Amino acid sequence: EPEVTQTPSHQVTQMGQEVILRCVPISNHLYFYWYRQILGQKVEFLVSFYNNEISEKSEIFDDQFSVERPDGSNFTLKIRSTKLEDSAMYFCASNGLAGGGVTQYFGPGTRLLVL
Amino acid sequence: DAKTTQPNSMESNEEEPVHLPCNHSTISGTDYIHWYRQLPSQGPEYVIHGLTSNVNNRMASLAIAEDRKSSTLILHRATLRDAAVYYCILRGDSNYQLIWGAGTKLIIKP
């Protein structure tokens, strides 16, 4: 069964450093998402991406964040200058069609720790 | 965005049915009701979704009230592997994102 994959599984970085989190969505999917979950808290939406541009973004997704689909398979989240509060689990998700009745498929997540 | 209300936690015995309730009194006519779950230390996983009619799949059943203001996720025979946080989420046709609440932590007792 196709699945969303994410690398790395864990990332430790120093405050102020740039990090890039990588995702490979399911191959025929067109809509891509990043969510994050701070330890012990609920899942929060960051951004959605379709047709090579951002469709929606939350207030969390400020100028420090960017997303890119550099080739036909990868979808990346870049944090330019990490802060302590960026420590969280980051989940990538994808779905193939638009509409409220569509299932999103999630990756296993990247645990980011900012020191 | 329409909101959902779920109990913080529920307990059930292994191999018994579990009924997880969700209230969504402000649901609009085009909102789909989705259920996802998150097992410990894993990414969210789709469980089931519906619009108006009750739905069944290999994982669970979804019972939707006639007025659509509430729904119930039914696990017919819970196992220890079903211990997770279950999220009830409304998703409209114009929404790309999923809006997450706190969910219900399901504890399964052996």
Side-chain angles (χ1 to χ4, degrees):
Chain A
E1 188 173 327
E3 57 183 20
V4 177
T5 59
Q6 291 186 241
T7 55
S9 58
H10 294 78
Q11 173 106 37
V12 181
T13 190
Q14 296 290 324
M15 190 171 56
Q17 294 296 303
E18 174 184 287
V19 294
I20 297 176
L21 309 182
R22 290 184 168 78
C23 168
V24 179
I26 293 173
S27 63
N28 60 347
H29 282 186
L30 302 174
Y31 298 83
F32 314 113
Y33 310 82
W34 284 101
Y35 295 84
R36 79 172 186 190
Q37 187 174 31
I38 295 170
L39 188 63
Q41 297 187 24
K42 64 182 183 180
V43 178
E44 299 174 292
F45 167 75
L46 293 178
V47 66
S48 63
F49 191 85
Y50 168 71
N51 200 26
N52 280 320
E53 59 183 29
I54 291 174
S55 310
E56 296 173 318
K57 60 181 181 178
S58 70
E59 60 272 14
I60 302 169
F61 194 87
D62 61 22
D63 292 343
Q64 293 300 314
F65 291 88
S66 63
V67 289
E68 192 179 29
R69 187 154 163 83
D71 52 43
S73 59
N74 291 283
F75 179 51
T76 62
L77 175 69
K78 181 193 290 185
I79 310 175
R80 288 191 184 82
S81 177
T82 50
K83 308 184 189 74
L84 297 176
E85 55 265 35
D86 293 327
S87 295
M89 196 76 167
Y90 288 80
F91 296 107
C92 173
S94 69
N95 57 254
L97 299 170
V102 175
T103 301
Q104 277 189 18
Y105 295 87
F106 285 80
T110 293
R111 184 172 296 283
L112 176 65
L113 178 60
V114 182
L115 301 175
Chain B
D1 294 314
K3 292 185 178 176
T4 62
T5 305
Q6 299 177 254
N8 290 334
S9 65
M10 290 183 64
E11 286 190 3
S12 181
N13 294 318
E14 195 177 11
E15 299 188 4
E16 289 186 357
V18 180
H19 290 235
L20 296 166
C22 180
N23 288 319
H24 27 78
S25 57
T26 58
I27 190 170
S28 75
T30 56
D31 284 339
Y32 285 78
I33 302 158
H34 287 254
W35 284 82
Y36 284 75
R37 72 180 184 179
Q38 189 174 21
L39 279 65
S41 302
Q42 293 191 29
E45 175 187 33
Y46 168 78
V47 179
I48 200 166
H49 76 276
L51 185 60
T52 56
S53 303
N54 295 344
V55 184
N56 299 297
N57 67 20
R58 62 177 178 82
M59 288 181 71
S61 295
L62 176 61
I64 301 173
E66 201 167 326
D67 63 5
R68 300 210 325 127
K69 293 186 176 182
S70 65
S71 60
T72 303
L73 178 70
I74 302 164
L75 305 179
H76 295 287
R77 198 162 164 265
T79 70
L80 296 177
R81 289 175 295 177
D82 292 319
V85 180
Y86 286 79
Y87 298 94
C88 170
I89 300 170
L90 301 184
R91 191 179 190 198
D93 261 353
S94 61
N95 290 351
Y96 292 93
Q97 59 183 282
L98 295 173
I99 305 293
W100 303 76
T104 297
K105 183 175 182 178
L106 177 62
I107 299 164
I108 304 296
K109 296 181 288 185

